[in-house]
């Protein structure tokens, strides 16, 4: 019950498990990613200790990234053309749009090391941030996310350093905010 041996009433803690099944661990990770709940809240829901939940999250996020990248490789030129929305065909009748890219800055803790702090300081956000580059196809499929870079990194450097350029098809257009378009030589689409 709720009473201890000395008669005082203290709430009892839920029993904790030492480990989660792989299915439960994946579910916990997906639940956190979908809801934004912190692990301090989720560990109790799944009946594991906080440090155990943290370990599972780090391990299974890495696993899911590797597994999903293998299961869902980047789309081919033909797949992008078949899935191209009519609005893109109308807006860019003589060009093939491969990707839409954008950078995202996420606030991070201030490092105590001044050199590190300077590398993550964002003049744009006026705080310390990590910066990421993401890319999706015109149909909305997310196909690329870069590693994190310090908030001081400008968009051009981020784009060149991220490895995105190796994924681009020759002659196809990549759109970015502020009207910036990267493309190689324009070539006509392949015949249907």
């Amino acid at each position: 019950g709720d009473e201890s041996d000395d008669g005082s009433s203290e709430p009892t803690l839920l029993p904790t498990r030492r480990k989660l099944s792989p299915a439960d661990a994946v579910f916990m990770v997906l639940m956190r990613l979908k809801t934004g709940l912190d692990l301090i809240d989720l560990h109790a829901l799944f009946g594991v200790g906080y440090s155990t939940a943290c370990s599972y999250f780090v391990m299974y996020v890495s696993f899911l990234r590797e597994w999903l990248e293998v299961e869902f490789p980047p789309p081919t030129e033909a797949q992008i053309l078949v899935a191209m929305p009519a609005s893109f065909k109308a807006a860019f009748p003589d060009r093939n749009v491969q990707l839409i890219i954008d950078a995202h800055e996420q606030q991070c803790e201030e490092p105590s090391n001044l050199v590190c702090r300077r590398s993550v300081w964002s003049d744009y956000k006026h705080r310390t941030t990590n910066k990421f580059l993401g890319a999706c196809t015109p149909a909305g499929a997310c196909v690329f996310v870069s590693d994190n870079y310090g908030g001081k990194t400008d968009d051009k450097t981020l784009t060149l350093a991220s490895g995105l350029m190796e994924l681009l098809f020759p002659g196809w257009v990549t759109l970015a905010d502020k009207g910036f378009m990267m493309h190689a030589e324009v070539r006509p689409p392949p015949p249907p």
Side-chain angles (χ1 to χ4, degrees):
D2 286 342
E3 287 192 16
S4 63
D5 293 338
D6 62 0
S8 65
S9 82
E10 291 181 17
T12 57
L13 297 175
L14 294 173
T16 60
R17 297 184 279 177
R18 290 189 155 264
K19 63 181 186 174
L20 293 175
S21 69
D24 284 344
V26 168
F27 183 66
M28 182 186 72
V29 168
L30 294 176
M31 188 173 174
R32 180 172 189 212
L33 295 174
K34 175 68 175 171
T35 64
L37 286 171
D38 194 76
L39 288 174
I40 200 79
D41 302 316
L42 283 175
H43 83 91
L45 290 174
F46 285 85
V48 294
Y50 176 73
S51 62
T52 303
C54 291
S55 297
Y56 273 110
F57 184 78
V58 169
M59 182 173 41
Y60 276 88
V61 161
S62 299
F63 162 74
L64 284 172
R65 178 178 180 171
E66 296 293 324
W67 180 66
L68 291 172
E69 283 178 353
V70 170
E71 290 294 313
F72 300 99
T76 64
E77 294 178 36
Q79 289 171 325
I80 292 175
L81 285 174
V82 167
M84 185 77 63
S87 59
F88 275 84
K89 290 177 184 176
F92 304 98
D94 58 343
R95 295 196 173 152
N96 293 325
V97 178
Q98 180 183 358
L99 298 172
I100 299 99
I101 63 172
D102 198 9
H104 169 72
E105 288 189 61
Q106 182 67 45
Q107 187 171 355
C108 65
E109 292 183 23
E110 287 190 24
S112 56
N113 180 299
L114 293 178
V115 174
C116 292
R117 186 181 304 179
R118 192 167 89 188
S119 72
V120 296
W121 178 258
S122 170
D123 292 328
Y124 179 69
K125 296 285 187 178
H126 304 289
R127 58 181 176 249
T128 54
T129 64
N130 281 315
K131 198 167 190 177
F132 303 86
L133 180 69
C136 64
T137 66
C142 295
V143 294
F144 179 82
V145 177
S146 72
D147 290 333
N148 64 310
Y149 291 81
K152 189 165 270 324
T153 308
D154 64 275
D155 289 355
K156 181 178 178 181
T157 303
L158 176 62
T159 303
L160 295 173
S162 68
L164 175 72
M165 301 301 283
E166 289 81 43
L167 301 177
L168 300 180
F169 303 143
W172 285 58
V173 176
T174 295
L175 304 176
D177 61 352
K178 300 178 184 139
F180 175 68
M181 294 173 60
M182 300 183 310
H183 57 86
E185 62 183 81
V186 176
R187 64 178 175 172

PDB file of all heavy atoms in Angstrom, residues 15 17 32-33 40 50 52 55 73-74 78 81 83-84 93 103 106-107 110 113 138 154 173 179 185 187 191:
ATOM      1  N   PRO A  15       7.232   0.281 -10.240  1.00  0.00           N
ATOM      2  CA  PRO A  15       8.378  -0.610 -10.432  1.00  0.00           C
ATOM      3  C   PRO A  15       9.062  -0.293 -11.760  1.00  0.00           C
ATOM      4  O   PRO A  15       8.401   0.060 -12.732  1.00  0.00           O
ATOM      5  CB  PRO A  15       7.750  -2.007 -10.451  1.00  0.00           C
ATOM      6  CG  PRO A  15       6.324  -1.801 -10.781  1.00  0.00           C
ATOM      7  CD  PRO A  15       5.964  -0.429 -10.277  1.00  0.00           C
ATOM      8  N   ARG A  17      11.758  -1.457 -14.886  1.00  0.00           N
ATOM      9  CA  ARG A  17      12.371  -2.588 -15.577  1.00  0.00           C
ATOM     10  C   ARG A  17      13.827  -2.234 -15.853  1.00  0.00           C
ATOM     11  O   ARG A  17      14.200  -1.079 -15.910  1.00  0.00           O
ATOM     12  CB  ARG A  17      11.669  -2.849 -16.910  1.00  0.00           C
ATOM     13  CG  ARG A  17      10.223  -3.244 -16.740  1.00  0.00           C
ATOM     14  CD  ARG A  17       9.615  -3.579 -18.078  1.00  0.00           C
ATOM     15  NE  ARG A  17       9.233  -2.321 -18.749  1.00  0.00           N
ATOM     16  CZ  ARG A  17       8.732  -2.257 -19.963  1.00  0.00           C
ATOM     17  NH1 ARG A  17       8.571  -3.345 -20.669  1.00  0.00           N
ATOM     18  NH2 ARG A  17       8.397  -1.114 -20.490  1.00  0.00           N
ATOM     19  N   ARG A  32       8.764  10.284 -28.420  1.00  0.00           N
ATOM     20  CA  ARG A  32       9.471  11.518 -28.058  1.00  0.00           C
ATOM     21  C   ARG A  32       9.595  12.438 -29.262  1.00  0.00           C
ATOM     22  O   ARG A  32       9.392  13.646 -29.163  1.00  0.00           O
ATOM     23  CB  ARG A  32      10.849  11.209 -27.497  1.00  0.00           C
ATOM     24  CG  ARG A  32      11.563  12.507 -27.133  1.00  0.00           C
ATOM     25  CD  ARG A  32      12.840  12.313 -26.396  1.00  0.00           C
ATOM     26  NE  ARG A  32      13.283  13.620 -25.925  1.00  0.00           N
ATOM     27  CZ  ARG A  32      14.544  13.962 -25.796  1.00  0.00           C
ATOM     28  NH1 ARG A  32      15.494  13.091 -26.062  1.00  0.00           N
ATOM     29  NH2 ARG A  32      14.863  15.157 -25.364  1.00  0.00           N
ATOM     30  N   LEU A  33       9.954  11.880 -30.417  1.00  0.00           N
ATOM     31  CA  LEU A  33      10.101  12.701 -31.615  1.00  0.00           C
ATOM     32  C   LEU A  33       8.775  13.321 -32.047  1.00  0.00           C
ATOM     33  O   LEU A  33       8.739  14.462 -32.511  1.00  0.00           O
ATOM     34  CB  LEU A  33      10.704  11.873 -32.751  1.00  0.00           C
ATOM     35  CG  LEU A  33      12.132  11.378 -32.530  1.00  0.00           C
ATOM     36  CD1 LEU A  33      12.556  10.451 -33.664  1.00  0.00           C
ATOM     37  CD2 LEU A  33      13.109  12.544 -32.389  1.00  0.00           C
ATOM     38  N   ILE A  40      12.651  12.885 -19.164  1.00  0.00           N
ATOM     39  CA  ILE A  40      12.319  12.920 -17.733  1.00  0.00           C
ATOM     40  C   ILE A  40      10.862  12.495 -17.527  1.00  0.00           C
ATOM     41  O   ILE A  40      10.507  11.942 -16.496  1.00  0.00           O
ATOM     42  CB  ILE A  40      12.619  14.309 -17.124  1.00  0.00           C
ATOM     43  CG1 ILE A  40      12.755  14.235 -15.605  1.00  0.00           C
ATOM     44  CG2 ILE A  40      11.577  15.323 -17.495  1.00  0.00           C
ATOM     45  CD1 ILE A  40      14.074  13.731 -15.149  1.00  0.00           C
ATOM     46  N   TYR A  50      15.766   6.897 -15.642  1.00  0.00           N
ATOM     47  CA  TYR A  50      16.056   8.031 -16.522  1.00  0.00           C
ATOM     48  C   TYR A  50      17.315   7.786 -17.352  1.00  0.00           C
ATOM     49  O   TYR A  50      17.316   7.993 -18.565  1.00  0.00           O
ATOM     50  CB  TYR A  50      16.190   9.315 -15.697  1.00  0.00           C
ATOM     51  CG  TYR A  50      16.593  10.504 -16.520  1.00  0.00           C
ATOM     52  CD1 TYR A  50      15.689  11.100 -17.392  1.00  0.00           C
ATOM     53  CD2 TYR A  50      17.876  11.040 -16.438  1.00  0.00           C
ATOM     54  CE1 TYR A  50      16.044  12.180 -18.170  1.00  0.00           C
ATOM     55  CE2 TYR A  50      18.245  12.128 -17.200  1.00  0.00           C
ATOM     56  CZ  TYR A  50      17.331  12.695 -18.059  1.00  0.00           C
ATOM     57  OH  TYR A  50      17.695  13.772 -18.833  1.00  0.00           O
ATOM     58  N   THR A  52      18.677   5.009 -18.153  1.00  0.00           N
ATOM     59  CA  THR A  52      18.406   3.925 -19.102  1.00  0.00           C
ATOM     60  C   THR A  52      17.638   4.467 -20.310  1.00  0.00           C
ATOM     61  O   THR A  52      17.955   4.142 -21.451  1.00  0.00           O
ATOM     62  CB  THR A  52      17.602   2.799 -18.423  1.00  0.00           C
ATOM     63  OG1 THR A  52      18.325   2.343 -17.287  1.00  0.00           O
ATOM     64  CG2 THR A  52      17.328   1.649 -19.363  1.00  0.00           C
ATOM     65  N   SER A  55      20.012   6.344 -22.552  1.00  0.00           N
ATOM     66  CA  SER A  55      20.842   5.413 -23.331  1.00  0.00           C
ATOM     67  C   SER A  55      20.064   4.819 -24.495  1.00  0.00           C
ATOM     68  O   SER A  55      20.571   4.729 -25.614  1.00  0.00           O
ATOM     69  CB  SER A  55      21.368   4.294 -22.447  1.00  0.00           C
ATOM     70  OG  SER A  55      22.198   4.808 -21.445  1.00  0.00           O
ATOM     71  N   PRO A  73      16.233   4.905 -49.796  1.00  0.00           N
ATOM     72  CA  PRO A  73      17.338   5.618 -50.432  1.00  0.00           C
ATOM     73  C   PRO A  73      16.822   6.886 -51.131  1.00  0.00           C
ATOM     74  O   PRO A  73      15.614   7.006 -51.378  1.00  0.00           O
ATOM     75  CB  PRO A  73      17.882   4.610 -51.441  1.00  0.00           C
ATOM     76  CG  PRO A  73      16.743   3.691 -51.721  1.00  0.00           C
ATOM     77  CD  PRO A  73      15.938   3.646 -50.460  1.00  0.00           C
ATOM     78  N   PRO A  74      17.720   7.813 -51.451  1.00  0.00           N
ATOM     79  CA  PRO A  74      17.277   9.020 -52.159  1.00  0.00           C
ATOM     80  C   PRO A  74      16.561   8.656 -53.462  1.00  0.00           C
ATOM     81  O   PRO A  74      16.937   7.692 -54.134  1.00  0.00           O
ATOM     82  CB  PRO A  74      18.583   9.764 -52.445  1.00  0.00           C
ATOM     83  CG  PRO A  74      19.554   9.255 -51.435  1.00  0.00           C
ATOM     84  CD  PRO A  74      19.159   7.837 -51.172  1.00  0.00           C
ATOM     85  N   ALA A  78      13.837   9.662 -62.221  1.00  0.00           N
ATOM     86  CA  ALA A  78      12.511   9.240 -62.711  1.00  0.00           C
ATOM     87  C   ALA A  78      11.458   9.318 -61.612  1.00  0.00           C
ATOM     88  O   ALA A  78      10.328   9.754 -61.859  1.00  0.00           O
ATOM     89  CB  ALA A  78      12.597   7.818 -63.263  1.00  0.00           C
ATOM     90  N   LEU A  81      10.476  12.968 -61.073  1.00  0.00           N
ATOM     91  CA  LEU A  81       9.639  13.467 -62.169  1.00  0.00           C
ATOM     92  C   LEU A  81       8.210  12.940 -62.074  1.00  0.00           C
ATOM     93  O   LEU A  81       7.252  13.685 -62.283  1.00  0.00           O
ATOM     94  CB  LEU A  81      10.242  13.091 -63.518  1.00  0.00           C
ATOM     95  CG  LEU A  81      11.459  13.904 -63.947  1.00  0.00           C
ATOM     96  CD1 LEU A  81      12.051  13.333 -65.224  1.00  0.00           C
ATOM     97  CD2 LEU A  81      11.086  15.367 -64.137  1.00  0.00           C
ATOM     98  N   ALA A  83       6.589  12.058 -59.390  1.00  0.00           N
ATOM     99  CA  ALA A  83       5.914  12.620 -58.213  1.00  0.00           C
ATOM    100  C   ALA A  83       5.855  14.150 -58.220  1.00  0.00           C
ATOM    101  O   ALA A  83       5.338  14.748 -57.280  1.00  0.00           O
ATOM    102  CB  ALA A  83       6.617  12.144 -56.948  1.00  0.00           C
ATOM    103  N   MET A  84       6.371  14.790 -59.256  1.00  0.00           N
ATOM    104  CA  MET A  84       6.427  16.258 -59.308  1.00  0.00           C
ATOM    105  C   MET A  84       5.016  16.852 -59.274  1.00  0.00           C
ATOM    106  O   MET A  84       4.182  16.538 -60.129  1.00  0.00           O
ATOM    107  CB  MET A  84       7.137  16.698 -60.591  1.00  0.00           C
ATOM    108  CG  MET A  84       7.355  18.185 -60.699  1.00  0.00           C
ATOM    109  SD  MET A  84       8.711  18.809 -59.713  1.00  0.00           S
ATOM    110  CE  MET A  84      10.108  17.985 -60.434  1.00  0.00           C
ATOM    111  N   PRO A  93       8.361  25.408 -65.970  1.00  0.00           N
ATOM    112  CA  PRO A  93       8.046  24.528 -67.100  1.00  0.00           C
ATOM    113  C   PRO A  93       9.271  24.018 -67.862  1.00  0.00           C
ATOM    114  O   PRO A  93       9.224  22.941 -68.439  1.00  0.00           O
ATOM    115  CB  PRO A  93       7.173  25.407 -68.002  1.00  0.00           C
ATOM    116  CG  PRO A  93       7.522  26.803 -67.639  1.00  0.00           C
ATOM    117  CD  PRO A  93       7.908  26.778 -66.184  1.00  0.00           C
ATOM    118  N   ALA A 103      18.067  26.045 -44.154  1.00  0.00           N
ATOM    119  CA  ALA A 103      18.849  25.847 -42.940  1.00  0.00           C
ATOM    120  C   ALA A 103      17.958  26.099 -41.728  1.00  0.00           C
ATOM    121  O   ALA A 103      17.013  26.883 -41.790  1.00  0.00           O
ATOM    122  CB  ALA A 103      20.043  26.791 -42.915  1.00  0.00           C
ATOM    123  N   GLN A 106      18.996  25.718 -34.139  1.00  0.00           N
ATOM    124  CA  GLN A 106      18.417  25.242 -32.886  1.00  0.00           C
ATOM    125  C   GLN A 106      19.264  25.766 -31.734  1.00  0.00           C
ATOM    126  O   GLN A 106      20.471  25.579 -31.733  1.00  0.00           O
ATOM    127  CB  GLN A 106      18.390  23.717 -32.866  1.00  0.00           C
ATOM    128  CG  GLN A 106      17.772  23.120 -31.640  1.00  0.00           C
ATOM    129  CD  GLN A 106      16.284  23.404 -31.542  1.00  0.00           C
ATOM    130  OE1 GLN A 106      15.557  23.285 -32.516  1.00  0.00           O
ATOM    131  NE2 GLN A 106      15.828  23.782 -30.369  1.00  0.00           N
ATOM    132  N   GLN A 107      18.634  26.418 -30.772  1.00  0.00           N
ATOM    133  CA  GLN A 107      19.378  26.950 -29.629  1.00  0.00           C
ATOM    134  C   GLN A 107      20.083  25.831 -28.886  1.00  0.00           C
ATOM    135  O   GLN A 107      19.569  24.723 -28.754  1.00  0.00           O
ATOM    136  CB  GLN A 107      18.441  27.691 -28.685  1.00  0.00           C
ATOM    137  CG  GLN A 107      19.179  28.413 -27.567  1.00  0.00           C
ATOM    138  CD  GLN A 107      18.274  29.329 -26.761  1.00  0.00           C
ATOM    139  OE1 GLN A 107      17.118  29.509 -27.071  1.00  0.00           O
ATOM    140  NE2 GLN A 107      18.832  29.908 -25.728  1.00  0.00           N
ATOM    141  N   GLU A 110      25.369  27.317 -23.824  1.00  0.00           N
ATOM    142  CA  GLU A 110      26.585  28.092 -24.051  1.00  0.00           C
ATOM    143  C   GLU A 110      27.789  27.315 -23.549  1.00  0.00           C
ATOM    144  O   GLU A 110      27.863  26.989 -22.359  1.00  0.00           O
ATOM    145  CB  GLU A 110      26.507  29.436 -23.317  1.00  0.00           C
ATOM    146  CG  GLU A 110      25.568  30.416 -23.945  1.00  0.00           C
ATOM    147  CD  GLU A 110      25.692  31.801 -23.339  1.00  0.00           C
ATOM    148  OE1 GLU A 110      26.764  32.138 -22.782  1.00  0.00           O
ATOM    149  OE2 GLU A 110      24.707  32.540 -23.416  1.00  0.00           O
ATOM    150  N   ASN A 113      34.039  26.995 -22.909  1.00  0.00           N
ATOM    151  CA  ASN A 113      35.224  27.309 -23.697  1.00  0.00           C
ATOM    152  C   ASN A 113      34.895  28.463 -24.648  1.00  0.00           C
ATOM    153  O   ASN A 113      33.952  28.387 -25.437  1.00  0.00           O
ATOM    154  CB  ASN A 113      35.651  26.060 -24.477  1.00  0.00           C
ATOM    155  CG  ASN A 113      36.872  26.308 -25.326  1.00  0.00           C
ATOM    156  OD1 ASN A 113      36.865  27.145 -26.216  1.00  0.00           O
ATOM    157  ND2 ASN A 113      37.917  25.541 -25.052  1.00  0.00           N
ATOM    158  N   PRO A 138      10.297  18.220 -54.318  1.00  0.00           N
ATOM    159  CA  PRO A 138       9.085  19.018 -54.531  1.00  0.00           C
ATOM    160  C   PRO A 138       7.809  18.333 -54.038  1.00  0.00           C
ATOM    161  O   PRO A 138       6.853  18.995 -53.663  1.00  0.00           O
ATOM    162  CB  PRO A 138       9.059  19.202 -56.049  1.00  0.00           C
ATOM    163  CG  PRO A 138      10.491  19.146 -56.455  1.00  0.00           C
ATOM    164  CD  PRO A 138      11.100  18.117 -55.547  1.00  0.00           C
ATOM    165  N   ASP A 154      27.843  30.255 -42.120  1.00  0.00           N
ATOM    166  CA  ASP A 154      26.894  30.874 -43.056  1.00  0.00           C
ATOM    167  C   ASP A 154      26.284  29.784 -43.947  1.00  0.00           C
ATOM    168  O   ASP A 154      26.788  28.668 -44.042  1.00  0.00           O
ATOM    169  CB  ASP A 154      27.577  31.958 -43.892  1.00  0.00           C
ATOM    170  CG  ASP A 154      28.665  31.392 -44.785  1.00  0.00           C
ATOM    171  OD1 ASP A 154      29.811  31.234 -44.299  1.00  0.00           O
ATOM    172  OD2 ASP A 154      28.364  31.102 -45.953  1.00  0.00           O
ATOM    173  N   VAL A 173      17.632  21.729 -60.908  1.00  0.00           N
ATOM    174  CA  VAL A 173      17.611  22.940 -60.095  1.00  0.00           C
ATOM    175  C   VAL A 173      17.341  22.584 -58.635  1.00  0.00           C
ATOM    176  O   VAL A 173      16.533  21.705 -58.338  1.00  0.00           O
ATOM    177  CB  VAL A 173      16.510  23.910 -60.603  1.00  0.00           C
ATOM    178  CG1 VAL A 173      16.399  25.132 -59.705  1.00  0.00           C
ATOM    179  CG2 VAL A 173      16.797  24.325 -62.032  1.00  0.00           C
ATOM    180  N   GLY A 179      15.223  33.367 -52.937  1.00  0.00           N
ATOM    181  CA  GLY A 179      15.357  33.336 -54.384  1.00  0.00           C
ATOM    182  C   GLY A 179      16.655  32.744 -54.893  1.00  0.00           C
ATOM    183  O   GLY A 179      16.931  32.802 -56.082  1.00  0.00           O
ATOM    184  N   GLU A 185      24.189  22.943 -65.789  1.00  0.00           N
ATOM    185  CA  GLU A 185      23.598  23.226 -67.090  1.00  0.00           C
ATOM    186  C   GLU A 185      22.190  22.639 -67.146  1.00  0.00           C
ATOM    187  O   GLU A 185      21.924  21.565 -66.625  1.00  0.00           O
ATOM    188  CB  GLU A 185      24.457  22.636 -68.200  1.00  0.00           C
ATOM    189  CG  GLU A 185      24.565  21.118 -68.111  1.00  0.00           C
ATOM    190  CD  GLU A 185      25.467  20.543 -69.146  1.00  0.00           C
ATOM    191  OE1 GLU A 185      26.679  20.574 -68.944  1.00  0.00           O
ATOM    192  OE2 GLU A 185      24.929  20.058 -70.157  1.00  0.00           O
ATOM    193  N   ARG A 187      19.140  20.829 -68.749  1.00  0.00           N
ATOM    194  CA  ARG A 187      18.906  19.860 -69.813  1.00  0.00           C
ATOM    195  C   ARG A 187      17.427  19.515 -69.831  1.00  0.00           C
ATOM    196  O   ARG A 187      16.745  19.582 -68.812  1.00  0.00           O
ATOM    197  CB  ARG A 187      19.761  18.607 -69.612  1.00  0.00           C
ATOM    198  CG  ARG A 187      19.410  17.846 -68.374  1.00  0.00           C
ATOM    199  CD  ARG A 187      20.239  16.607 -68.257  1.00  0.00           C
ATOM    200  NE  ARG A 187      19.908  16.007 -66.958  1.00  0.00           N
ATOM    201  CZ  ARG A 187      20.306  14.841 -66.564  1.00  0.00           C
ATOM    202  NH1 ARG A 187      21.081  14.132 -67.348  1.00  0.00           N
ATOM    203  NH2 ARG A 187      19.961  14.370 -65.402  1.00  0.00           N
ATOM    204  N   PRO A 191      12.338  11.769 -72.068  1.00  0.00           N
ATOM    205  CA  PRO A 191      11.005  11.519 -72.646  1.00  0.00           C
ATOM    206  C   PRO A 191      10.230  10.522 -71.782  1.00  0.00           C
ATOM    207  O   PRO A 191      10.820   9.642 -71.179  1.00  0.00           O
ATOM    208  CB  PRO A 191      11.317  10.927 -74.023  1.00  0.00           C
ATOM    209  CG  PRO A 191      12.749  10.506 -73.989  1.00  0.00           C
ATOM    210  CD  PRO A 191      13.416  11.298 -72.913  1.00  0.00           C
TER     211      PRO A 191
END
